[in-house]
């Protein structure tokens, strides 16, 4: 086994240098490291767990998760609602669900604003998100700050390979809320939001960014993800061997054998508890509370809480201003103003 380890280390260039950069494998140790000169570039890897406090269900929680509450759609199995083959034959369940979860109906969470604070402090290298709710953008991250690994609702395309006509967020929103299956105006094929279904390739930006980002990252913060979906889950193994990794999650995850993970192309697994543990820290609980605890240790707690209050008040005020006037609500010629996100899309902004 040692021979094989050495062979793979030499062949794959994995190296054996494992410098310990944390003075303790605790949240306090991570905070001290973040405040040091050694930590200048942070990558966040986030999943559905950072949006649950906004009212958006995650996927795999036994009773409250999305997959546990899809009976009304009469699917052959829960994951079918996000399978491209099933969608092409039966798009109706997806669009019914999309109406319930449509971006713009929820506010970003404290966790989203913690990531924004990392950006404002000059520490955020990139946020890789599995989420399609666009709350990272609403919280103030720009397209350049993001890798939306599983796509976005910002744009949609006709699924016909010969057409592929693009449609903006405003067009798709109108179709979804009219409970009409979106059909291409050119060829009448179904139009699908640019989110990644099972059976589809991830965006090219995902692969181009990881080539450079993970060579220079000083800290990985992993939040609200089960790390069960590949290739996103393999990102934890892309960082240099000395890079500390903080997990903020309801339960420990990502704990695969590092060597076997490398052999299978899944990266180095998390090691929180063994005698050899040297860089991985787990804070177990609600993601918002974990971010608040870390912000407190960093001396950012009040700044974070003030940011959340200010931004939520702004979103509330915008929502109030966009409510139709009772005297004009019945008029079919007038529609509510576009949201901030829709306005950006209509002006031509596209995911990078």
């Amino acid at each position: 086994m040692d021979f094989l380890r050495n062979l793979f280390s030499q062949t794959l260039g994995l190296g054996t240098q494992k410098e310990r950069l944390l003075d303790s494998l605790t949240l306090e140790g991570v905070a001290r490291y973040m405040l040091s000169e050694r930590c200048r570039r942070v990558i966040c890897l986030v999943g559905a767990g950072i949006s649950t406090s906004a009212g958006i269900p995650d996927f795999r929680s036994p009773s409250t998760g999305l997959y546990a509450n899809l009976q009304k759609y009469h699917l052959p199995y829960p994951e079918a609602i996000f399978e491209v083959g099933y969608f092409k034959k039966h798009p109706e369940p997806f669009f019914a669900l999309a109406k319930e979860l449509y971006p713009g109906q929820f506010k970003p969470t404290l966790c989203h604003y913690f990531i924004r604070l990392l950006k404002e402090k000059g520490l955020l290298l990139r946020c890789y998100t599995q989420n399609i709710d666009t709350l990272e953008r609403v919280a103030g991250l720009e397209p350049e700050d993001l890798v939306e690994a599983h796509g976005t609702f910002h744009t949609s395309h006709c699924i016909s390979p010969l057409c592929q006509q693009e449609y903006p967020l405003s067009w798709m929103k109108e179709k979804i809320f009219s409970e009409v299956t979106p059909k291409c105006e050119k060829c009448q094929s179904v139009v699908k939001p640019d989110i990644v279904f099972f059976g589809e390739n991830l965006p090219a930006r995902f692969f181009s960014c990881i080539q450079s980002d993970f060579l220079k990252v000083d800290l990985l913060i992993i939040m609200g993800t089960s790390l069960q979906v590949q290739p996103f889950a393999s990102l934890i193994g892309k960082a240099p061997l000395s890079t500390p990794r903080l997990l903020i999650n309801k339960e420990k995850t990502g704990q695969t054998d590092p060597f076997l993970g490398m052999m299978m192309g899944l990266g180095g697994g998390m090691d929180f508890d063994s005698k050899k543990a040297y860089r991985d820290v787990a804070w177990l609980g609600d993601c918002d509370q974990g971010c608040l605890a870390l912000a407190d240790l960093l001396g950012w707690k009040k700044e974070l809480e003030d940011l959340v209050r200010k931004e939520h008040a702004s979103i509330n005020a915008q929502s109030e201003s966009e409510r139709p006037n009772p005297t004009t609500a019945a008029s079919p010629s007038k529609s509510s103003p576009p949201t901030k996100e829709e306005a950006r899309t209509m002006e031509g902004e596209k995911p990078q």
Side-chain angles (χ1 to χ4, degrees):
M1 183 60 77
D2 287 338
F3 168 76
L4 286 174
R5 289 181 188 275
N6 291 334
L7 177 63
F8 272 88
S9 292
Q10 292 170 7
T11 304
L12 301 179
L14 303 179
T16 56
Q17 298 300 315
K18 296 181 179 180
E19 180 184 2
R20 177 164 173 163
L21 299 178
L22 300 179
D23 59 31
S24 70
L25 298 180
T26 62
L27 196 65
E28 290 80 2
V30 172
R32 286 190 289 271
Y33 173 68
M34 289 179 69
L35 293 171
S36 75
E37 289 296 316
R38 296 294 298 268
C39 185
R40 297 181 179 180
R41 294 173 290 265
V42 177
I43 288 177
C44 295
L45 308 178
V46 302
I50 74 165
S51 294
T52 53
S53 66
I56 302 173
D58 64 12
F59 288 86
R60 292 180 171 81
S61 291
S63 59
T64 60
L66 189 63
Y67 288 152
N69 291 279
L70 295 175
Q71 298 89 341
K72 60 186 175 183
Y73 300 118
H74 307 294
L75 302 167
Y77 45 90
E79 292 83 357
I81 203 164
F82 292 118
E83 286 189 353
V84 68
Y86 186 84
F87 173 84
K88 288 178 179 179
K89 296 177 181 177
H90 308 286
E92 297 82 8
F94 169 77
F95 286 115
L97 177 66
K99 183 179 179 182
E100 293 183 36
L101 303 179
Y102 199 80
Q105 303 184 86
F106 305 95
K107 295 187 200 120
T109 67
L110 186 144
C111 197
H112 290 99
Y113 289 113
F114 178 78
I115 301 171
R116 158 126 169 231
L117 208 51
L118 288 174
K119 169 184 167 69
E120 293 182 355
K121 301 288 184 182
L123 288 172
L124 183 67
L125 174 58
R126 203 88 64 195
C127 175
Y128 287 71
T129 178
Q130 295 173 281
N131 300 334
I132 58 173
D133 54 36
T134 74
L135 289 182
E136 295 89 2
R137 291 179 182 242
V138 179
L141 297 190
E142 298 296 330
E144 178 59 27
D145 303 319
L146 287 166
V147 172
E148 292 163 315
H150 293 169
T152 177
F153 263 96
H154 262 288
T155 52
S156 301
H157 283 84
C158 171
I159 64 173
S160 169
L162 299 176
C163 180
Q164 297 185 327
Q165 176 71 28
E166 181 175 309
Y167 293 90
L169 180 68
S170 55
W171 183 92
M172 178 58 70
K173 180 178 181 180
E174 193 244 325
K175 300 296 183 187
I176 288 176
F177 281 86
S178 299
E179 299 185 359
V180 174
T181 298
K183 296 289 184 69
C184 179
E185 295 172 359
K186 290 179 66 178
C187 73
Q188 291 303 300
S189 296
V190 176
V191 177
K192 184 179 83 63
D194 291 342
I195 62 173
V196 179
F197 278 31
F198 295 120
E200 292 187 304
N201 294 325
L202 270 62
R205 177 170 167 77
F206 174 84
F207 299 100
S208 62
C209 283
I210 63 176
Q211 296 299 317
S212 59
D213 287 352
F214 283 82
L215 292 174
K216 53 193 177 186
V217 61
D218 298 317
L219 173 68
L220 286 183
I221 300 180
I222 304 133
M223 298 186 283
T225 173
S226 63
L227 292 176
Q228 291 186 22
V229 178
Q230 297 295 347
F232 190 92
S234 69
L235 294 181
I236 62 170
K238 301 290 185 186
L241 290 176
S242 294
T243 300
R245 302 181 295 190
L246 169 65
L247 175 71
I248 298 176
N249 206 43
K250 286 187 175 180
E251 58 189 11
K252 292 178 181 176
T253 188
Q255 294 169 284
T256 58
D257 177 82
F259 179 61
L260 292 178
M262 290 294 185
M263 289 181 64
M264 297 173 66
L266 304 181
M270 309 285 279
D271 179 6
F272 304 110
D273 305 311
S274 82
K275 292 181 179 178
K276 295 181 180 179
Y278 69 101
R279 63 166 173 164
D280 295 332
V281 176
W283 189 96
L284 302 184
D286 175 83
C287 288
D288 285 350
Q289 293 306 309
C291 286
L292 193 61
L294 181 55
D296 192 19
L297 292 168
L298 292 166
W300 303 350
K301 183 178 179 181
K302 184 178 185 303
E303 188 175 357
L304 178 58
E305 291 175 329
D306 289 346
L307 177 62
V308 173
R309 276 193 293 269
K310 181 188 78 171
E311 292 295 318
H312 279 188
S314 175
I315 292 171
N316 289 339
Q318 183 179 358
S319 297
E320 286 294 324
S321 70
E322 290 171 359
R323 286 184 181 175
N325 189 311
T327 61
T328 60
S331 172
S333 63
K334 295 186 178 181
S335 59
S336 59
T339 66
K340 188 185 301 182
E341 289 300 306
E342 290 169 341
R344 288 180 182 174
T345 302
M346 288 187 284
E347 288 167 8
E349 180 185 302
K350 298 178 183 177
Q352 299 181 16

